[in-house]
């Protein structure tokens, strides 16, 4: 029997199915949702549409930013619909819930849309990999840099009240204090808030030099716009967005967003290769500028399919091991390793949003302030609480 024939016999249900579990209707929908589905399908199409001689299909569902709905959907997908891998999983709470369902079934989770470090920490799983970003990298890239520059002697945090926000605030506080700054206070708000006035007033009253926005998506846009109405920046305080997407910058406009510093693992306009991929994606998606979750979703699906091909099976444990054995190579990852805890060790970049006069065309929004290697960007293994690390 040939190797190829043996491998084909190990593809469950004679098909490989990828589920994009994402936010189609809530506060992250403008960043992920259909955009992530387009990225996953583009990866499948670029791969050739089949693996080990079997068809690859992509399905999607709306988790509504609720952990119980995410659990129910992932359980149904794995148990009755033959899904082999789930990607995106935007939102840390839903990602953690999905990871638990997948762990007990040896199924693959490709996290590109959730940032909590618990995914590669105490909650880590041998069949989960974390792409795009995490709260450690975002906090280190932004909070540490602002404080080092002497502009962040004191901080007050506005924090989204769920796992992502908590993790982002905790990591940022750590880097503020490690670089000589002080955290003078914080306030938590419910995810999906529309009125930030009372929270911003608390930040203003704190007299902190920097108001750190430990939030993302629609919440971030609303908070920055309302901060402008209160004249917070004009009165001498500054805003530090700890999780900003290029689509947020476009939505705010450069006049409002100019000067913001942020950390990202992907910028579509970085080089010829990223521009070429982004052009193809934008043609497919109706002009949407790809963000780091979009890029991470594509990269994760492509690497997963390469691992299925190399492993000769879609069985989760074998594929996950092969994913860690193989370096990640695509339009923006070059020989990037995946650690035992599942962390994808790509580069990150500290960016500054351009002034309107500096931007020459749509999407020309960033200038690079610093480039950081994966080892510089992400939490050291020595600090991980992942049982896989200790076992190794």
């Amino acid at each position: 029997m040939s190797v190829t024939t043996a491998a084909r016999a190990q593809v469950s249900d004679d098909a490989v199915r990828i589920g994009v579990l994402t936010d189609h209707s809530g506060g992250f929908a403008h960043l992920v949702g259909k955009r992530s589905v387009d990225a996953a399908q583009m990866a499948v199409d670029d791969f050739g549409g089949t693996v080990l001689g079997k068809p690859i299909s992509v399905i999607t569902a709306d988790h509504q930013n609720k952990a119980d709905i995410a659990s129910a959907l992932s359980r149904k997908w794995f148990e009755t619909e033959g899904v082999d891998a789930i990607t995106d999983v935007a939102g840390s709470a839903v990602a953690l819930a999905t990871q638990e369902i997948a762990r007990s079934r040896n199924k693959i989770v490709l996290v590109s849309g959730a940032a909590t470090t618990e995914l590669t920490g105490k909650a880590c799983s041998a069949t989960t990999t974390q792409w795009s970003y995490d709260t450690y990298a975002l906090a280190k890239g932004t909070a540490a840099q602002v404080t080092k520059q002497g502009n962040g002697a004191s901080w007050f945090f506005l924090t989204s009240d769920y796992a992502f926000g908590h993790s982002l605030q905790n990591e940022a506080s750590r880097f503020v204090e490690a670089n000589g700054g002080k955290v003078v206070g914080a306030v938590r708000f419910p995810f999906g808030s529309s009125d930030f006035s009372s929270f911003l007033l608390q930040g203003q009253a704190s007299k902190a030099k920097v108001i750190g926005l430990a939030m993302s998506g629609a919440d971030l846009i609303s908070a920055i716009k309302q901060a402008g109405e209160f004249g917070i920046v004009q009165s001498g305080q500054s805003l530090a967005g700890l999780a900003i997407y290029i689509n947020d910058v476009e939505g705010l406009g450069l006049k409002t967003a100019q000067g913001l510093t942020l950390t990202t693992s992907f910028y579509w306009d970085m080089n010829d290769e990223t521009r070429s991929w982004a052009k193809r994606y934008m043609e497919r998606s109706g002009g949407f500028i790809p963000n780091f979750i979009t890029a991470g979703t594509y990269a994760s699906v492509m690497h997963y399919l390469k691992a299925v091909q190399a492993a000769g099976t879609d069985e989760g444990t074998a594929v996950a091991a092969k994913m860690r054995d193989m370096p990640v190579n695509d339009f923006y990852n070059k020989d990037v390793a995946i650690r035992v805890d599942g962390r994808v060790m790509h580069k990150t970049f500290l960016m500054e949003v351009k002034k309107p006069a500096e931007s020459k065309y749509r999407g020309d929004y960033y200038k690079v302030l610093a480039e950081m290697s994966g080892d510089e960007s992400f939490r050291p293994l020595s600090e991980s609480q992942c049982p896989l690390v200790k076992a190794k």
Side-chain angles (χ1 to χ4, degrees), residues 204-227:
Q204 196 170 41
S206 75
K207 305 297 183 182
K209 292 289 186 182
V210 180
I211 296 178
L213 305 176
M215 62 185 81
S216 65
D219 287 343
L220 177 74
I221 294 174
S222 296
I224 291 176
K225 287 181 177 178
Q226 290 175 36

Side-chain angles (χ1 to χ4, degrees), residues 11 16 55 71 76 91 128 155 181 186 281-282 300 304 313 316 333 337 380:
V11 175
V16 172
S71 295
K76 177 184 177 183
T128 294
W155 288 65
Y281 175 82
M282 291 171 72
S300 70
Y304 165 73
T313 178
N333 294 296

Side-chain angles (χ1 to χ4, degrees), residues 40-118:
Q41 187 63 58
M42 183 174 169
V44 169
D45 294 346
D46 286 351
F47 191 79
T50 64
V51 61
L52 300 174
K54 302 299 181 181
I56 309 164
S57 61
V58 175
I59 64 172
T60 190
D62 185 359
H63 58 49
Q64 300 176 47
N65 293 305
K66 296 179 181 178
D68 58 339
I69 292 178
S71 295
L73 286 169
S74 56
R75 186 180 296 110
K76 177 184 177 183
W77 276 358
F78 290 143
E79 294 180 356
T80 67
E81 298 190 18
V83 168
D84 300 290
I86 291 178
T87 190
D88 186 336
V89 220
S92 292
V94 297
L96 289 166
T98 300
Q99 180 170 249
E100 289 308 304
I101 299 298
R103 184 202 310 276
S104 63
R105 293 159 177 80
N106 291 322
K107 295 291 187 177
I108 296 289
V109 181
L110 310 166
V111 179
S112 56
T116 178
T117 53
E118 289 185 25

Side-chain angles (χ1 to χ4, degrees), residues 233-390:
V233 174
Q234 292 87 337
S235 65
Q237 292 175 297
S238 61
L239 299 176
L242 299 175
I244 301 178
Y245 303 81
I246 194 167
N247 318 99
D248 297 328
V249 171
E250 183 163 67
L252 289 164
L254 293 185
K255 183 178 180 180
T256 300
Q258 63 182 308
L260 281 171
T261 55
L262 58 103
T263 300
T264 185
S265 62
F266 172 76
Y267 178 38
W268 78 274
D269 204 18
M270 186 66 75
N271 55 51
D272 288 343
E273 197 169 359
T274 57
R275 282 189 285 271
S276 176
W277 178 85
K279 181 180 178 180
R280 292 197 302 116
Y281 175 82
M282 291 171 72
E283 289 172 351
R284 173 185 290 258
S285 66
F288 180 79
I289 298 176
N291 55 49
F292 53 79
I293 294 179
T294 314
T297 299
Y298 177 100
S300 70
V301 171
M302 180 61 73
H303 190 69
Y304 165 73
L305 293 173
K306 290 178 181 178
V308 171
Q309 184 74 47
T313 178
D314 62 354
E315 192 277 321
T317 303
V319 174
K322 186 60 68 174
M323 288 180 69
R324 285 163 168 78
D325 287 343
M326 299 166 53
V328 182
N329 279 293
D330 52 48
F331 59 96
Y332 81 111
N333 294 296
K334 304 304 176 188
D335 291 323
V336 170
I338 301 179
R339 294 193 314 200
V340 63
D341 61 351
R343 176 67 258 169
V344 180
M345 299 297 288
H346 48 65
K347 293 178 181 178
T348 61
F349 303 89
L350 182 69
M351 302 289 198
E352 181 177 283
V353 177
K354 291 182 175 182
K355 298 176 182 177
E358 296 174 317
S359 179
K360 305 305 180 185
Y361 43 84
R362 181 184 176 226
D364 178 25
Y365 299 151
Y366 294 164
K367 52 186 174 184
V368 180
L369 299 182
E371 177 181 313
M372 294 153 282
S373 69
D375 288 337
E376 292 173 315
S377 302
F378 297 104
R379 179 176 57 188
L381 271 179
S382 59
E383 296 182 14
S384 177
Q385 295 179 314
C386 174
L388 299 171
V389 176
K390 297 175 183 177

